[in-house]
């Protein structure tokens, strides 16, 4: 990370015209860095983004790359995506790109220009400062923001200075109004404007500050850092659906453990996973399980493997599930107790993060397989391995064994590890060696329906009376004979 910071320092070393830099930081004039003095080449920019930029330019509109794409290129990182900003309105963007363009958003309308089914470039219109047209709630959170403006206005509506750098496709220069280049050079993350006001406008900026600081290896500027703990409570006002997407950005990355630790440091994690957070200080094994799960995520991403949101929520909430199950086991089977506990845990978590149903069902499957993995004798092992959630359940079993140190769990995980390494024929013999678990003798269920029970008793009484009469009749006949 220091190498990237040094590279930026070299690229943007102070020039003789230092007054221009000072004036830029005082918001009176921008710094314009010509192509000869920065490292961004068009070859580094994805072709779809270039097509959008040049398409808007040919149609007579201004268009710039902005945000994380410009920031990451300057740092020598590979951007995840490229965002475009323009003076064209959403309807005008739609006219330029036709059926390839879809307009989305309520709070602020955006255009997505598609290049294939899942590949799109996000295009936003310059945001303005028309305070009379913006709508906020009682806490200062922006709920309507379709106010369009100019480049000079748009820059002050962005969140962090390092995300407010513009790449001009006309002359390939970098434009900086807020001192973002200086913060990039100093490894500092700073909000644009008054931090408390900006956090109130969009509370998600609290967790974005943590994510960017970890990702870039930057320090959070003191005034930006100061309100973080207090402003975290405003996350309760954010749409749970939006927080699902932000949660994936937080933990589906190669610095997931550090993100978790910083969220805990600023008391932000409890606003995302409140019940899990409450258990972290009570039991070291809970924290160990969460960290082990995040380390597993990091390793998968480092070797280019995919990650599943269901697995993230499965290990984040497993300790909560275990505690919810305990009082239910007195009256229910383990399967029934887990089903009831899972419903309660997921319902509680959905109040904070709206996990899509397709993932909550997968979470339930991963949890229920924890009860089935010990029953691996005979053909059961092969059937379990065919389950679509087997691998995730196996991984969770390994995390549980690692975090708890339980020898039985370690032995079970080791057995499944060995089983998967065998050939199909060897697996049959290996599973046959497992002792068949003893089945508990089922208790005969009593009839709990009082009406049915009374009818049964009446029926039994009538049957007994009939049998007595038949016995008397047969006895009399025998005596006569």
């Amino acid at each position: 990370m220091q190498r990237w910071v040094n590279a930026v320092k070299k690229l943007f070393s102070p020039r003789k015209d230092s007054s221009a830099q000072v004036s830029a930081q005082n918001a009176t004039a921008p710094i314009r860095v010509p192509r000869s003095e920065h490292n961004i080449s068009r070859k580094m920019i994805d072709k779809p983004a270039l097509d959008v930029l040049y398409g808007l330019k040919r149609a007579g509109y201004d268009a710039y790359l902005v945000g994380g794409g410009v920031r990451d290129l300057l740092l020598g990182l590979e951007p995840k995506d490229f965002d475009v900003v323009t003076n064209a309105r959403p309807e005008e963007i739609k006219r330029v790109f036709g059926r390839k363009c879809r307009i989305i958003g309520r709070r602020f309308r955006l255009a997505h220009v598609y290049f294939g089914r899942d590949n799109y470039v996000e295009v936003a219109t310059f945001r303005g400062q028309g305070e009379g047209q913006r709508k906020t709630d009682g806490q200062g959170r922006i709920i309507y923001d379709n106010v369009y403006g100019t480049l000079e206005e748009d820059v002050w509506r962005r969140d962090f200075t390092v995300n407010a750098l513009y790449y001009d496709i006309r002359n390939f220069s970098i434009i900086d109004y807020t001192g973002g280049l200086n913060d990039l050079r100093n490894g500092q993350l700073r909000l644009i404007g008054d931090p408390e006001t900006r956090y109130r406008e969009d509370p998600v900026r609290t967790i974005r500050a943590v994510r960017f600081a970890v990702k870039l290896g930057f320090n959070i500027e003191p005034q930006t850092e100061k309100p973080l703990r207090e402003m975290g409570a405003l996350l309760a006002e954010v749409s749970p659906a939006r927080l699902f997407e932000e949660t994936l950005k937080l933990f589906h990355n190669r610095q997931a453990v550090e993100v978790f630790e910083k969220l805990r440091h600023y008391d932000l994690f409890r606003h995302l996973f409140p019940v899990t957070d409450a258990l972290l200080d009570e039991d070291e094994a809970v924290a160990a399980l969460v960290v082990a799960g995040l380390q597993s995520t990091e390793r998968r991403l480092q070797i280019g493997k995919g990650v599943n949101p269901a697995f993230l929520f499965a290990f984040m909430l497993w300790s909560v599930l275990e505690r919810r199950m305990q009082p239910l086991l007195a009256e229910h089977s383990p399967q029934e107790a887990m089903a009831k506990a899972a419903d309660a845990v997921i319902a509680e978590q959905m109040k904070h993060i709206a996990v899509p149903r397709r993932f909550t069902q997968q979470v339930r499957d991963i949890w229920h397989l924890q009860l089935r993995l010990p029953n691996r004798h005979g053909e059961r092992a092969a059937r379990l391995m065919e389950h679509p959630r087997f691998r995730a359940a196996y991984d969770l079993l390994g995390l549980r064994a690692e975090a708890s140190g339980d020898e039985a769990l370690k032995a079970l995980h080791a057995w499944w590890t060995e089983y998967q390494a065998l050939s199909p024929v060897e697996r049959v013999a290996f599973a046959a060696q497992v002792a068949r678990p003893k089945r508990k003798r089922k208790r005969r269920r009593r009839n709990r329906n009082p009406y049915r029970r009374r009818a049964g008793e009446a029926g039994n009484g009538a049957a007994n009376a009939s049998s007595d009469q038949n016995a008397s009749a047969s006895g009399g006949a025998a005596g006569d004979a």
Side-chain angles (χ1 to χ4, degrees), residues 121-159:
V121 176
E122 186 170 280
V123 186
T125 304
F126 292 139
R127 287 178 289 182
Q129 299 288 348
E131 298 294 338
Q133 302 174 55
R134 294 169 61 198
K135 296 180 182 179
T136 59
D137 60 16
Q139 295 183 329
R141 184 168 60 96
I142 297 175
I143 57 177
Y144 179 83
D145 196 20
N146 286 317
V147 180
Y148 304 122
T150 63
L151 171 63
E152 290 74 14
E153 292 177 306
D154 182 83
V155 67
W156 304 107
R157 300 296 310 284
R158 300 196 169 270
D159 50 10

Side-chain angles (χ1 to χ4, degrees), residues 42-55:
R42 281 175 292 175
K43 295 178 181 179
M44 301 176 178
I45 303 171
D46 287 350
K47 186 178 183 300
L50 288 174
D51 288 346
V52 171
L53 289 168
Y54 281 113

Side-chain angles (χ1 to χ4, degrees), residues 56 59 61 86-99 101-105 108-112 123-125 144 146 148:
L56 290 168
Y61 299 105
T86 178
N87 60 348
R89 300 291 179 93
E91 296 78 11
E92 295 170 330
I93 301 170
K94 176 76 173 175
R95 283 198 292 270
V96 172
F97 297 102
R99 289 185 296 178
C101 179
R102 299 178 190 172
I103 298 175
I104 65 165
F108 186 78
R109 301 177 73 202
L110 301 168
H112 285 176
V123 186
T125 304
Y144 179 83
N146 286 317
Y148 304 122

Side-chain angles (χ1 to χ4, degrees), residues 236 238-244 271-275 313 317 342-361 363-364 367:
V238 178
S239 162
R242 186 182 177 202
L243 285 182
F244 172 74
H271 300 294
L272 302 173
F273 293 92
V275 185
F313 287 90
L317 299 172
D343 288 345
V345 170
I346 291 174
E348 176 63 27
Q349 183 60 43
M350 291 283 282
K351 297 176 183 177
H352 307 279
I353 300 174
V355 185
R357 187 174 181 179
R358 67 182 183 277
F359 294 128
T360 58
Q361 184 55 53
V363 170
R364 286 185 171 91
W367 285 345

Side-chain angles (χ1 to χ4, degrees), residues 11-182:
L11 287 166
F12 303 113
S13 56
R15 301 187 298 275
K16 292 181 180 180
D17 188 13
S18 59
S19 61
Q21 296 185 25
V22 175
S23 63
Q25 294 181 46
N26 290 333
T28 57
I31 294 176
R32 287 184 176 269
V33 182
R35 172 63 185 92
S36 59
E37 296 183 29
H38 66 74
N39 64 318
I40 297 181
S41 165
R42 281 175 292 175
K43 295 178 181 179
M44 301 176 178
I45 303 171
D46 287 350
K47 186 178 183 300
L50 288 174
D51 288 346
V52 171
L53 289 168
Y54 281 113
L56 290 168
K57 179 184 176 184
R58 285 192 297 269
Y61 299 105
D62 297 333
Y64 303 83
L65 274 186
V66 68
V70 179
R71 177 201 68 214
D72 289 349
L73 288 176
L74 289 172
L75 288 173
L77 303 173
E78 183 177 352
K80 185 176 180 180
D81 50 38
F82 291 93
D83 295 331
V84 173
V85 67
T86 178
N87 60 348
R89 300 291 179 93
E91 296 78 11
E92 295 170 330
I93 301 170
K94 176 76 173 175
R95 283 198 292 270
V96 172
F97 297 102
R99 289 185 296 178
K100 293 169 60 177
C101 179
R102 299 178 190 172
I103 298 175
I104 65 165
R106 292 183 180 179
R107 194 184 75 163
F108 186 78
R109 301 177 73 202
L110 301 168
H112 285 176
V113 181
Y114 281 81
F115 296 85
R117 183 174 181 180
D118 299 318
N119 183 23
Y120 64 85
V121 176
E122 186 170 280
V123 186
T125 304
F126 292 139
R127 287 178 289 182
Q129 299 288 348
E131 298 294 338
Q133 302 174 55
R134 294 169 61 198
K135 296 180 182 179
T136 59
D137 60 16
Q139 295 183 329
R141 184 168 60 96
I142 297 175
I143 57 177
Y144 179 83
D145 196 20
N146 286 317
V147 180
Y148 304 122
T150 63
L151 171 63
E152 290 74 14
E153 292 177 306
D154 182 83
V155 67
W156 304 107
R157 300 296 310 284
R158 300 196 169 270
D159 50 10
F160 300 98
T161 60
V162 295
N163 292 342
L165 301 171
Y166 297 75
Y167 176 80
D168 191 343
I169 195 64
R170 294 171 300 185
N171 53 25
F172 318 122
S173 63
I174 302 293
I175 305 173
D176 176 19
Y177 282 84
T178 66
L181 292 174
N182 194 43

Side-chain angles (χ1 to χ4, degrees), residues 189-251:
L189 190 70
R190 179 166 56 90
L191 272 172
I192 298 171
D194 175 62
E196 185 171 333
T197 300
R198 302 313 304 278
Y199 286 137
R200 289 189 181 278
E201 287 177 352
D202 186 1
V204 168
R205 287 172 179 151
T206 57
I207 55 179
R208 282 168 61 87
V210 170
R211 177 162 64 88
F212 287 140
V214 172
K215 174 183 177 178
L216 303 174
F218 284 11
N219 295 317
I220 302 177
E221 184 266 337
Q223 295 303 313
T224 301
E225 181 184 37
K226 186 177 178 181
L228 273 177
R229 289 180 178 83
E230 178 186 352
M231 294 292 105
L234 297 176
L235 288 169
E237 306 298 326
V238 178
S239 162
R242 186 182 177 202
L243 285 182
F244 172 74
E245 299 298 334
E246 292 296 331
T247 298
L248 298 188
K249 292 176 183 179
L250 286 169
F251 298 117

